[in-house]
Amino acid sequence: QVQLQESGPGLVKPSQTLSLTCTVSGGSITTSYYYWSWIRQPPGKGLEWMGAIRYTGSSYHSPTLKSRTSISSDTSKNQFTLQLSSVTPEDTAVYYCAREGLRGGVDYWGQGTQVTVSS
């Protein structure tokens, strides 16, 4: 059973960089069959795919967020990390990490972590 757990600050000030880490257990992020993704849901809105990373270290980003996002991984800790720069209150959301198949579709989700951007 694969489990994902997000960790990071719940409150970030505007213009700062948000950093979240996803720790994976029950499976390795070095497997070639999946993307390891970040998805968020702002209050009252739908899910927004932000980006993903593969076992090769290659990362993929939403065009709307590409200039502000960085995704990296630490295979020794079986973790992957999201950094979102220059945050504004519009970045307030529940942030999820997830495992996504190469042909699309998420089969495992983290429980989600609330991030609020406020001064």
Side-chain angles (χ1 to χ4, degrees), residues 56-119:
T56 58
S58 297
S59 61
Y60 309 85
H61 302 267
S62 166
T64 59
L65 296 170
K66 185 176 183 179
S67 64
R68 297 199 291 132
T69 56
S70 175
I71 300 175
S72 60
S73 63
D74 185 338
T75 57
S76 68
K77 296 181 180 179
N78 217 35
Q79 295 175 333
F80 59 106
T81 298
L82 169 73
Q83 290 192 315
L84 179 65
S85 63
S86 304
V87 298
T88 72
E90 285 67 41
D91 293 310
T92 294
V94 178
Y95 285 75
Y96 298 92
C97 59
R99 191 179 82 170
E100 186 175 4
L102 295 182
R103 297 185 179 183
V106 172
D107 59 357
Y108 288 101
W109 293 82
Q111 66 181 23
T113 187
Q114 172 70 47
V115 176
T116 300
V117 180
S118 175
S119 55

Side-chain angles (χ1 to χ4, degrees), residues 8 13 15-16 34 36 39 41 43 54 63 71 76 78 97 109 113:
K13 293 183 177 180
S15 79
Q16 291 186 340
Y34 302 102
W36 301 94
I39 298 165
Q41 186 168 29
R54 286 197 66 200
I71 300 175
S76 68
N78 217 35
C97 59
W109 293 82
T113 187

Side-chain angles (χ1 to χ4, degrees), residues 20-54:
L20 296 174
T21 296
C22 183
T23 301
V24 180
S25 59
S28 174
I29 65 170
T30 60
T31 181
S32 61
Y33 299 114
Y34 302 102
Y35 294 102
W36 301 94
S37 303
W38 288 99
I39 298 165
R40 69 180 181 179
Q41 186 168 29
K45 297 183 179 180
L47 295 170
E48 179 184 19
W49 184 85
M50 301 181 69
I53 192 167
R54 286 197 66 200

